Amino acid sequence: MSVTNAQNAKNDDDASRLPEQAEPVLRPDSGVEKRRNLGVGSFILLGVGAFVFLFPFYYMLIGSLQTAPDTSIFGAFPNPANITGANYVQINESINLFRGLLNSGIFTGGVILFTVIFGLLVGYALAQMKFRGRGVVFGMMLLVQMIPFQLLLIPLYVMIVRDYGLADSFLGMILPFAINSTAVFVFRQYFLQLPSTLFEAARIDGASELRILWQIAIPLVRPAIVTAVLLTFIGPWNEFLWPFLVTKEQSLQPLAVSLANFISNIAGQAGNPFGAILAGACVLAAPAVALFIFFQRQFISTNIGSSVKG
């Protein structure tokens, strides 16, 4: 047989394989296959659950736009004759929404910054450095997660306000949340997955631990940084009790504290206090909702990953 015939036979054999190779392979655990397995009852159940979960947010938005409060069942349906934006103007004139949002952003941003810095340092030390008492430190970190923050309020208040004199300051609000044991745990788990030979080679070359952390470890655990930021954001953004205790100056209070002061002192003088309070709640929830919309995929993977690693 000539070389040309052999080549033609090979091409025919390859051509016969092409349709088989191009055929898409549907994995049994793919999302499409799972959706096919859902029945009508499952869709109805999921729809009811979604409606029950989202209805408070919908009612909050509709209530913030009503000229006169309608607490009947018909109040859940938008009435064009009863829609206005005056509630947002009224709550802004009472408590300065922009200043409250800015204070919440400074407070939350400071907490996230300290959480990432200390989380990376402590997580790297617990995972890749060998020192006496490392297991005790890790055990104490897990123990801290089991103590409610409310139990620490009084000693923290005495230490921050009386001893350190940090009342009415952003630093006084941020310090109790500077180290997040959950973030430390997440960083430790990510650093443990990295090969130790990578760090030993860098040490042999004379690199310091901080240089190894900055140039080798951090670029490899960027998903962990995103995870820590997303897990940390919601807590300080919605935090009310601690900022309320340490701040009396209204120009420094986060929006959650300003809304509480409005409800206690000013709401009775408003024409529609119900609508004004819901308007303030919508403004407070808007950044969190926007963050969830833009980082929805990371939120889902963060929750799944943290539950698996835990």
Side-chain angles (χ1 to χ4, degrees), residues 25-288:
V25 178
L26 187 63
R27 292 183 302 175
D29 57 344
S30 66
V32 176
E33 186 67 17
K34 288 181 179 179
R35 283 194 291 272
R36 288 177 181 174
N37 293 333
L38 290 177
V40 177
S42 299
F43 276 108
I44 294 175
L45 186 61
L46 290 174
V48 172
F51 174 78
V52 172
F53 178 78
L54 293 176
F55 183 76
F57 296 95
Y58 167 78
Y59 192 78
M60 179 176 68
L61 179 61
I62 293 297
S64 69
L65 296 173
Q66 289 179 339
T67 304
D70 186 357
T71 57
S72 66
I73 190 65
F74 299 102
F77 301 97
N79 181 5
N82 197 27
I83 296 297
T84 181
N87 294 322
Y88 288 88
V89 177
Q90 186 178 32
I91 190 71
N92 186 50
E93 291 175 349
S94 301
I95 63 174
N96 193 345
L97 291 176
F98 176 76
R99 185 66 195 178
L101 282 175
L102 180 62
N103 293 338
S104 296
I106 295 173
F107 173 43
T108 305
V111 171
I112 291 176
L113 179 64
F114 281 109
T115 296
V116 172
I117 292 175
F118 289 117
L120 284 170
L121 292 173
V122 180
Y124 173 79
L126 291 175
Q128 295 295 337
M129 296 179 67
K130 297 179 180 179
F131 55 91
R132 182 176 297 178
R134 185 176 66 169
V136 176
V137 173
F138 181 64
M140 292 179 65
M141 186 198 73
L142 295 178
L143 179 64
V144 169
Q145 292 183 331
M146 305 175 70
I147 301 176
F149 180 74
Q150 288 76 9
L151 291 179
L152 305 175
L153 273 180
I154 295 177
L156 279 176
Y157 182 81
V158 172
M159 184 171 61
I160 297 293
V161 175
R162 192 181 65 182
D163 297 344
Y164 297 162
L166 294 177
D168 285 327
S169 67
F170 288 111
L171 188 59
M173 286 190 282
I174 293 171
L175 273 184
F177 306 97
I179 298 180
N180 188 330
S181 58
T182 302
V184 172
F185 183 79
V186 170
F187 283 124
R188 176 185 177 273
Q189 297 304 104
Y190 271 86
F191 282 128
L192 283 176
Q193 296 176 7
L194 301 179
S196 59
T197 54
L198 192 65
F199 301 98
E200 291 173 359
R203 293 187 185 105
I204 292 174
D205 290 340
S208 64
E209 293 296 337
L210 285 178
R211 186 178 179 185
I212 295 173
L213 174 65
W214 180 254
Q215 294 187 343
I216 298 177
I218 291 179
L220 295 175
V221 295
R222 286 175 181 170
I225 297 176
V226 176
T227 299
V229 170
L230 295 178
L231 288 175
T232 307
F233 174 82
I234 299 298
W237 184 262
N238 294 325
E239 179 64 26
F240 161 75
L241 187 56
W242 178 252
F244 175 76
L245 289 176
V246 299
T247 58
K248 304 301 178 189
E249 183 66 35
Q250 292 185 358
S251 61
L252 295 174
Q253 291 177 338
L255 185 55
V257 180
S258 299
L259 286 175
N261 290 332
F262 173 80
I263 295 173
S264 303
N265 304 322
I266 311 174
Q269 305 171 5
N272 182 9
F274 182 73
I277 293 170
L278 291 181
C282 287
V283 175
L284 179 62

